Amino acid sequence: MDHLNELLASRSHSRSDIAFLLGLSCPDAALSLESAALKSTLARMGPGVSTRGLIEFSNLCTCNCLYCGIRRANQGVQRYWLDEDEVLENALWCAEAGYGSVVLQAGERRDPAFIDYLTRCVTRIRKESVSATLPQGLGITLSVGEQSPETYQRWFDAGAHRYLLRIESANPRLFSAIHPPEQQWSRRVRCLESLKAIGWQLGTGVLIGLPGQTLDDLAGDILFFRELDCDMIGMGPWLATPDTPMQGQDRLSRAELLRRALNMIAVTRLLLPDVNIASTTALEALSPRGRELGLRAGANVIMPNVTSPRVRALYQLYPDKPGLNQDRGESRASLEALLASCGREPRWNQWGDSLHARRH
Ligand code: SAH
């Protein structure tokens, strides 16, 4: 325990220190880790939790990631694409509800029609969401994969300012094992660098609990986040999805996977005290209390799903996706209750940029 307390108080951690912390499994030790991370979060950022309405606007995808339920080869998926007006409706609902920002997420496409469509969505959301409570309109995060620098620039100029692109694993060998050969780790890194050069607030993240992934790999992931100087982290457990090539390859129990994911949040918080860390939906797929546990381990962002319920079940990256039938208003109320139950407060009507981003 002395060694643990020393590590928790330390300001400089070696890769093996990080791996040691990530591997903590006895309840007392894991609780000490989470408490240290929560303390750091509250000290820097106070009890406020930023909210973003998540709009999953299309499950059409040109990629074949081996873990993902909406991969191109998955013929069983009914494909959808929300039209501009429906995306706008979802976004404007968020503005009304007090979510000061939205995340537009979809499968990956790079064709001109898609690029134009998303440009128009971003332009209209920024313009039409302006109000007395949101004088600059909604903040907009995009999460639509690898694109050319020109496309990233275009969407940035249209008024989006945060981009989420997970590296999935900072270990190139592990990345290759979970993607087809045409998807390359080095290209993803170039995309991240290009986003940063343009001026986007940059978010990345990884899948936790992948086959063959070691604690040392996860330690490398956290060092990668730091090296990249990213502003936000969205990471979560890998959930083995039926009808994907990785079906049946999971080796950790749900409890072990949850522990590992929470430890990842906590250690990331200790090493990167001023970034935004999301408590992701995938955590909730593992445990009904998943999002709360994420907040207790150092997360400070929550992204409730506000996608039209009509299509929500079609965006199934992984099984047991929570909130499929939950009404948007109910989910807002349950979010408030959840935050109150753990002594946290929603930060309504704010973009909620990370302290890290505001420092630049
Ligand atoms: N096309 C976009 C966004 C959609 S996927 C992009 O590639 O960035 C968003 C994230 O969902 C992925 O980065 C991946 O980390 C996660 N994901 C996909 N399949 C998953 C699974 N089976 N379990 C857990 N997370 C998964």
Side-chain angles (χ1 to χ4, degrees):
M1 216 56 179
D2 278 356
H3 177 53
L4 174 58
N5 287 332
E6 248 169 59
L7 281 184
L8 292 177
S10 164
R11 285 181 178 273
S12 88
H13 298 93
S14 67
R15 187 169 171 128
S16 62
D17 292 340
I18 300 171
F20 171 83
L21 291 172
L22 290 172
L24 294 174
S25 58
C26 101
D28 282 354
L31 186 62
S32 302
L33 169 63
E34 283 177 9
S35 307
L38 180 61
K39 198 167 148 206
S40 157
T41 312
L42 295 175
R44 290 269 179 139
M45 318 196 205
V49 172
S50 297
T51 54
R52 289 105 179 63
L54 175 62
I55 305 173
E56 297 161 337
F57 64 89
S58 173
N59 66 358
L60 285 159
C61 194
T62 55
C63 292
N64 245 335
C65 308
L66 304 188
Y67 45 84
C68 183
I70 62 166
R71 60 200 302 272
R72 179 182 80 219
N74 207 341
Q75 307 266 332
V77 177
Q78 186 193 331
R79 304 286 168 170
Y80 73 91
W81 181 7
L82 297 186
D83 67 22
E84 231 173 281
D85 287 339
E86 196 162 356
V87 173
L88 252 290
E89 192 279 329
N90 287 176
L92 295 181
W93 183 89
C94 291
E96 282 283 307
Y99 299 146
S101 77
V102 287
V103 180
L104 303 182
Q105 188 178 90
E108 195 161 307
R109 284 177 55 187
R110 282 183 275 274
D111 52 287
F114 177 80
I115 296 167
D116 289 348
Y117 152 90
L118 193 53
T119 309
R120 286 194 304 273
C121 288
V122 169
T123 311
R124 283 188 59 193
I125 292 175
R126 277 300 295 279
K127 201 161 134 222
E128 296 180 31
S129 60
V130 169
S131 70
T133 39
L134 281 176
Q136 302 205 71
L138 287 162
I140 303 177
T141 306
L142 299 184
S143 174
V144 288
E146 296 178 7
Q147 305 285 342
S148 69
E150 294 72 31
T151 304
Y152 287 143
Q153 183 73 54
R154 215 171 138 204
W155 292 333
F156 186 72
D157 293 342
H161 76 298
R162 291 192 284 243
Y163 203 99
L164 285 176
L165 178 64
R166 290 185 176 180
I167 187 70
E168 314 296 359
S169 170
N171 176 342
R173 265 182 300 110
L174 204 48
F175 183 96
S176 304
I178 59 169
H179 292 100
E182 68 270 17
Q183 278 174 258
Q184 286 160 11
W185 186 86
S186 54
R187 195 173 58 214
R188 186 143 313 188
V189 173
R190 279 203 303 280
C191 285
L192 289 166
E193 285 166 351
S194 140
L195 286 160
K196 196 151 87 180
I198 292 169
W200 289 86
Q201 288 179 30
L202 189 58
T204 193
V206 292
L207 287 165
I208 300 160
L210 290 165
Q213 184 184 51
T214 62
L215 294 173
D216 180 70
D217 287 325
L218 290 168
D221 291 339
I222 298 180
L223 293 171
F224 177 90
F225 302 155
R226 193 163 69 179
E227 185 101 335
L228 187 66
D229 196 25
C230 60
D231 303 296
M232 354 179 251
I233 312 282
M235 57 191 167
W238 164 62
L239 300 160
T241 308
D243 301 324
T244 63
M246 288 171 68
Q247 166 178 12
Q249 290 185 26
D250 42 328
R251 297 287 174 268
L252 298 176
S253 70
R254 286 173 93 80
E256 286 167 331
L257 187 53
L258 182 63
R259 179 75 272 140
R260 194 155 292 185
L262 294 173
N263 285 5
M264 255 318 255
I265 291 180
V267 180
T268 302
R269 170 58 71 217
L270 290 179
L271 268 89
L272 285 78
D274 60 1
V275 299
N276 275 346
I277 302 182
S279 190
T280 55
T281 327
L283 274 178
E284 208 184 343
L286 265 189
S287 151
R289 289 184 60 215
R291 286 188 314 173
E292 175 196 339
L293 297 173
L295 289 175
R296 290 188 191 276
N300 68 319
V301 173
I302 281 211
M303 309 198 294
N305 194 332
V306 299
T307 313
S308 307
R310 182 170 65 75
V311 295
R312 224 180 265 180
L314 302 176
Y315 197 85
Q316 293 251 27
L317 308 177
Y318 46 76
D320 303 325
K321 180 183 179 184
L324 284 186
N325 297 311
Q326 198 177 32
D327 170 82
R328 298 184 288 200
E330 269 170 35
S331 106
R332 185 188 186 283
S334 66
L335 176 70
E336 265 193 300
L338 166 86
L339 295 183
S341 77
C342 46
R344 307 289 283 274
E345 293 161 9
R347 301 176 66 204
W348 300 127
N349 298 312
Q350 293 183 42
W351 283 12
D353 293 332
S354 69
L355 287 178
H356 188 82
R358 281 183 267 157
R359 253 192 8 210
H360 293 301

